[in-house]
Amino acid sequence: MKISEDRRKMLKIVTMYYEQGLTQTVIAKKMDISRPVISKILQQAKELGVVSISIKDESAHAVELGLQLEKKYQLKDVIVIPTNEQKQVESLKKEVSRSASFYLKERLKADMSIGLSWGTTLADMIDEMPYCSFPTINVYPLVGGISSEHLYFDTNHLVFRLAEKLNSRCQYFYAPALAESSILADVLNQSQLVGNSMKQAKNVDFAIIGVGNPNESSTWKRLGYIEKKELQIIKKTGVKGDAVASLFDKNGQTVNNEISKRMLGIKVEDLVNIPDVMVIGCGEEKAESIRPLLRGKKCTILIIDQMIAEALL
């Protein structure tokens, strides 16, 4: 079969570039052609199917899902942890938490302020954080504390633990996450202590939050804060998820029901004014709760597993 001179030239350039690893500049000198022409020929080779590039790695599909989500929801970063049949739920959760800790470590810089919500995923992320030294960083709680019997997930405890890992400073939120009544919540919200905590929480540079699905599984529910009566209110008022001090609807707006009124801390609407909001999630049921936050532009960074990513797309 006769090969045209142009085709021969293309095959030679492609072989030197992809097989021999020569740079476009070196090939240009060898072939006595300008570098932009070499670049054009390499592009034509892809378009004609002479060259087909495939990435052979189990993480490639997860990376592609992340890029699709970034584009679809205009996000800064999406990290998707690959899943397979062999991975246990706990192992997957650990990988998501570890990725979140690596990501945070890369983003740390002097004088920044970090805000934390609460829950098991954030507690696991802090477990995975390496010790480092950022004495001018401040860590703030975004919501009130929970009862001492569930200290491991408590926002004030998490703030203290992260500050310890970063050798940084921290503040506490001196109020419960869920007040006994909406009247008590109103009184606390008008106090100077809560007012100061709210002001600090709303002005952080980087917020890290977990998301719950109270219809399926939620830390609120598991720790006994949301019981049968509250679940009926949640179902009746169209709640799709919980984050910070909000129960929110399908559009990522706070549902102003009796439970939301009793929650102390910033609302999902406040997240829009925080430069970076990182949402961490593991488990397919979380997709239903993360989607409204994406629709409402309430987060900029997602660290999730592959099942959530596929459900969101």
Side-chain angles (χ1 to χ4, degrees):
M1 186 180 80
K2 193 178 175 195
I3 304 175
S4 72
E5 193 52 41
D6 285 346
R7 185 88 170 174
R8 195 188 305 277
K9 190 192 292 178
M10 178 183 280
L11 290 170
K12 190 174 180 180
I13 289 167
V14 161
T15 304
M16 284 194 283
Y17 188 70
Y18 289 106
E19 296 288 332
Q20 297 177 358
L22 302 181
T23 66
Q24 292 185 27
T25 305
V26 170
I27 297 167
K29 280 182 184 171
K30 277 180 174 283
M31 303 284 291
D32 196 24
I33 304 171
S34 71
R35 203 194 68 78
V37 172
I38 297 291
S39 183
K40 191 178 175 184
I41 290 169
L42 288 169
Q43 185 57 38
Q44 283 173 345
K46 281 189 206 170
E47 288 165 5
L48 294 168
V50 173
V51 172
S52 173
I53 297 170
S54 63
I55 304 166
K56 291 176 181 173
D57 190 292
E58 66 156 7
S59 303
H61 178 55
V63 171
E64 177 59 29
L65 290 173
L67 291 168
Q68 286 177 36
L69 283 168
E70 282 176 27
K71 188 177 178 184
K72 183 174 181 178
Y73 294 106
Q74 290 93 54
L75 297 165
K76 286 186 184 177
D77 260 319
V78 179
I79 295 173
V80 178
I81 306 305
T83 53
N84 58 47
E85 288 171 12
Q86 282 75 45
K87 277 186 191 171
Q88 300 295 317
V89 176
E90 280 310 307
S91 157
L92 187 59
K93 198 176 172 194
K94 199 174 180 68
E95 280 188 54
V96 170
S97 302
R98 190 179 295 128
S99 291
S101 72
F102 288 160
Y103 189 89
L104 176 61
K105 175 77 167 59
E106 292 298 308
R107 294 293 303 270
L108 295 174
K109 55 180 187 281
D111 303 318
M112 80 184 286
S113 54
I114 300 168
L116 297 180
S117 67
W118 63 290
T120 55
T121 317
L122 264 69
D124 291 345
M125 180 200 78
I126 295 165
D127 281 346
E128 297 292 334
M129 272 298 287
Y131 284 93
C132 44
S133 188
F134 288 90
T136 59
I137 281 180
N138 274 299
V139 188
Y140 298 106
L142 301 176
V143 293
I146 55 174
S147 69
S148 56
E149 63 189 286
H150 303 302
L151 186 66
Y152 182 69
F153 315 116
D154 179 86
T155 185
N156 288 326
H157 182 61
L158 295 182
V159 158
F160 169 75
R161 285 184 58 223
L162 182 60
E164 200 175 32
K165 286 279 181 95
L166 304 184
N167 186 33
S168 66
R169 302 173 295 213
C170 68
Q171 302 292 327
Y172 300 126
F173 199 121
Y174 294 104
L178 189 68
E180 288 173 28
S181 68
S182 51
I183 295 167
L184 178 59
D186 287 341
V187 171
L188 289 168
N189 276 321
Q190 285 164 31
S191 71
Q192 195 175 344
L193 261 179
V194 170
N196 288 341
S197 295
M198 290 286 280
K199 189 178 176 185
Q200 289 166 342
K202 287 178 181 180
N203 288 291
V204 297
D205 303 312
F206 194 100
I208 306 165
I209 65 170
V211 177
N213 182 341
N215 298 300
E216 297 286 336
S217 66
S218 159
T219 308
W220 287 99
K221 187 175 169 183
R222 199 159 71 250
L223 298 183
Y225 288 98
I226 291 173
E227 293 175 341
K228 199 172 180 182
K229 183 186 136 194
E230 282 86 6
L231 274 173
Q232 286 170 345
I233 295 169
I234 284 165
K235 284 187 167 68
K236 208 184 291 178
T237 50
V239 171
K240 291 292 178 189
D242 66 80
V244 282
S246 286
L247 295 171
F248 53 84
D249 63 18
K250 63 179 183 180
N251 298 311
Q253 298 295 312
T254 299
V255 173
N256 203 19
N257 61 24
E258 189 235 330
I259 309 162
S260 265
K261 286 175 186 172
R262 287 164 53 202
M263 289 179 167
L264 294 166
I266 66 168
K267 300 296 180 189
V268 285
E269 286 76 11
D270 297 315
L271 297 174
V272 178
N273 301 314
I274 294 173
D276 278 311
V277 178
M278 181 165 90
V279 169
I280 312 170
C282 185
E284 195 176 359
E285 76 281 352
K286 294 283 176 81
E288 187 189 6
S289 302
I290 292 172
R291 189 180 285 108
L293 294 179
L294 296 176
R295 278 193 191 129
K297 309 276 186 237
K298 303 296 194 300
C299 81
T300 59
I301 300 151
L302 263 187
I303 300 188
I304 52 175
D305 63 45
Q306 189 176 318
M307 290 180 292
I308 296 176
E310 287 170 348
L312 289 172
L313 288 165

PDB file of all heavy atoms in Angstrom, residues 265-276:
ATOM      1  N   GLY A 265     -26.775  28.476  64.598  1.00  0.00           N
ATOM      2  CA  GLY A 265     -25.578  28.496  63.759  1.00  0.00           C
ATOM      3  C   GLY A 265     -25.912  29.171  62.447  1.00  0.00           C
ATOM      4  O   GLY A 265     -27.019  29.685  62.266  1.00  0.00           O
ATOM      5  N   ILE A 266     -24.960  29.178  61.526  1.00  0.00           N
ATOM      6  CA  ILE A 266     -25.230  29.826  60.246  1.00  0.00           C
ATOM      7  C   ILE A 266     -26.167  28.949  59.409  1.00  0.00           C
ATOM      8  O   ILE A 266     -26.216  27.740  59.580  1.00  0.00           O
ATOM      9  CB  ILE A 266     -23.932  30.164  59.469  1.00  0.00           C
ATOM     10  CG1 ILE A 266     -23.177  28.887  59.043  1.00  0.00           C
ATOM     11  CG2 ILE A 266     -23.026  31.075  60.276  1.00  0.00           C
ATOM     12  CD1 ILE A 266     -22.057  29.142  58.049  1.00  0.00           C
ATOM     13  N   LYS A 267     -26.914  29.582  58.515  1.00  0.00           N
ATOM     14  CA  LYS A 267     -27.848  28.880  57.634  1.00  0.00           C
ATOM     15  C   LYS A 267     -27.170  28.622  56.279  1.00  0.00           C
ATOM     16  O   LYS A 267     -26.153  29.251  55.957  1.00  0.00           O
ATOM     17  CB  LYS A 267     -29.117  29.716  57.436  1.00  0.00           C
ATOM     18  CG  LYS A 267     -29.879  30.015  58.732  1.00  0.00           C
ATOM     19  CD  LYS A 267     -30.421  28.758  59.374  1.00  0.00           C
ATOM     20  CE  LYS A 267     -31.191  29.024  60.663  1.00  0.00           C
ATOM     21  NZ  LYS A 267     -31.526  27.776  61.387  1.00  0.00           N
ATOM     22  N   VAL A 268     -27.776  27.745  55.475  1.00  0.00           N
ATOM     23  CA  VAL A 268     -27.168  27.446  54.164  1.00  0.00           C
ATOM     24  C   VAL A 268     -27.059  28.702  53.293  1.00  0.00           C
ATOM     25  O   VAL A 268     -26.138  28.824  52.490  1.00  0.00           O
ATOM     26  CB  VAL A 268     -27.916  26.321  53.397  1.00  0.00           C
ATOM     27  CG1 VAL A 268     -27.622  24.966  53.988  1.00  0.00           C
ATOM     28  CG2 VAL A 268     -29.400  26.571  53.312  1.00  0.00           C
ATOM     29  N   GLU A 269     -27.977  29.648  53.484  1.00  0.00           N
ATOM     30  CA  GLU A 269     -27.926  30.902  52.708  1.00  0.00           C
ATOM     31  C   GLU A 269     -26.631  31.680  52.982  1.00  0.00           C
ATOM     32  O   GLU A 269     -26.133  32.404  52.119  1.00  0.00           O
ATOM     33  CB  GLU A 269     -29.139  31.791  53.033  1.00  0.00           C
ATOM     34  CG  GLU A 269     -30.456  31.315  52.436  1.00  0.00           C
ATOM     35  CD  GLU A 269     -31.088  30.128  53.165  1.00  0.00           C
ATOM     36  OE1 GLU A 269     -30.640  29.763  54.275  1.00  0.00           O
ATOM     37  OE2 GLU A 269     -32.049  29.559  52.614  1.00  0.00           O
ATOM     38  N   ASP A 270     -26.086  31.555  54.196  1.00  0.00           N
ATOM     39  CA  ASP A 270     -24.846  32.269  54.554  1.00  0.00           C
ATOM     40  C   ASP A 270     -23.633  31.699  53.826  1.00  0.00           C
ATOM     41  O   ASP A 270     -22.618  32.378  53.703  1.00  0.00           O
ATOM     42  CB  ASP A 270     -24.605  32.185  56.075  1.00  0.00           C
ATOM     43  CG  ASP A 270     -25.710  32.863  56.879  1.00  0.00           C
ATOM     44  OD1 ASP A 270     -26.108  33.976  56.507  1.00  0.00           O
ATOM     45  OD2 ASP A 270     -26.185  32.271  57.868  1.00  0.00           O
ATOM     46  N   LEU A 271     -23.723  30.446  53.360  1.00  0.00           N
ATOM     47  CA  LEU A 271     -22.584  29.805  52.697  1.00  0.00           C
ATOM     48  C   LEU A 271     -22.206  30.511  51.398  1.00  0.00           C
ATOM     49  O   LEU A 271     -21.046  30.469  50.980  1.00  0.00           O
ATOM     50  CB  LEU A 271     -22.890  28.323  52.412  1.00  0.00           C
ATOM     51  CG  LEU A 271     -23.136  27.425  53.631  1.00  0.00           C
ATOM     52  CD1 LEU A 271     -23.579  26.035  53.180  1.00  0.00           C
ATOM     53  CD2 LEU A 271     -21.897  27.326  54.504  1.00  0.00           C
ATOM     54  N   VAL A 272     -23.176  31.148  50.765  1.00  0.00           N
ATOM     55  CA  VAL A 272     -22.941  31.839  49.482  1.00  0.00           C
ATOM     56  C   VAL A 272     -21.887  32.938  49.629  1.00  0.00           C
ATOM     57  O   VAL A 272     -21.153  33.238  48.689  1.00  0.00           O
ATOM     58  CB  VAL A 272     -24.274  32.448  48.955  1.00  0.00           C
ATOM     59  CG1 VAL A 272     -24.062  33.210  47.668  1.00  0.00           C
ATOM     60  CG2 VAL A 272     -25.280  31.335  48.710  1.00  0.00           C
ATOM     61  N   ASN A 273     -21.789  33.530  50.819  1.00  0.00           N
ATOM     62  CA  ASN A 273     -20.857  34.643  51.033  1.00  0.00           C
ATOM     63  C   ASN A 273     -19.477  34.198  51.510  1.00  0.00           C
ATOM     64  O   ASN A 273     -18.600  35.033  51.720  1.00  0.00           O
ATOM     65  CB  ASN A 273     -21.460  35.623  52.047  1.00  0.00           C
ATOM     66  CG  ASN A 273     -22.798  36.166  51.572  1.00  0.00           C
ATOM     67  OD1 ASN A 273     -22.935  36.557  50.416  1.00  0.00           O
ATOM     68  ND2 ASN A 273     -23.798  36.168  52.439  1.00  0.00           N
ATOM     69  N   ILE A 274     -19.289  32.890  51.695  1.00  0.00           N
ATOM     70  CA  ILE A 274     -17.978  32.375  52.117  1.00  0.00           C
ATOM     71  C   ILE A 274     -17.189  32.012  50.854  1.00  0.00           C
ATOM     72  O   ILE A 274     -17.707  31.296  49.989  1.00  0.00           O
ATOM     73  CB  ILE A 274     -18.155  31.147  53.048  1.00  0.00           C
ATOM     74  CG1 ILE A 274     -18.833  31.593  54.359  1.00  0.00           C
ATOM     75  CG2 ILE A 274     -16.823  30.475  53.339  1.00  0.00           C
ATOM     76  CD1 ILE A 274     -19.224  30.460  55.293  1.00  0.00           C
ATOM     77  N   PRO A 275     -15.945  32.521  50.709  1.00  0.00           N
ATOM     78  CA  PRO A 275     -15.193  32.297  49.454  1.00  0.00           C
ATOM     79  C   PRO A 275     -15.102  30.835  49.022  1.00  0.00           C
ATOM     80  O   PRO A 275     -15.278  30.514  47.855  1.00  0.00           O
ATOM     81  CB  PRO A 275     -13.806  32.876  49.779  1.00  0.00           C
ATOM     82  CG  PRO A 275     -14.053  33.877  50.858  1.00  0.00           C
ATOM     83  CD  PRO A 275     -15.200  33.357  51.665  1.00  0.00           C
ATOM     84  N   ASP A 276     -14.804  29.926  49.966  1.00  0.00           N
ATOM     85  CA  ASP A 276     -14.705  28.508  49.622  1.00  0.00           C
ATOM     86  C   ASP A 276     -15.465  27.655  50.620  1.00  0.00           C
ATOM     87  O   ASP A 276     -15.246  27.772  51.829  1.00  0.00           O
ATOM     88  CB  ASP A 276     -13.242  28.047  49.571  1.00  0.00           C
ATOM     89  CG  ASP A 276     -12.590  28.401  48.251  1.00  0.00           C
ATOM     90  OD1 ASP A 276     -13.196  28.111  47.202  1.00  0.00           O
ATOM     91  OD2 ASP A 276     -11.495  28.980  48.265  1.00  0.00           O
TER      92      ASP A 276
END
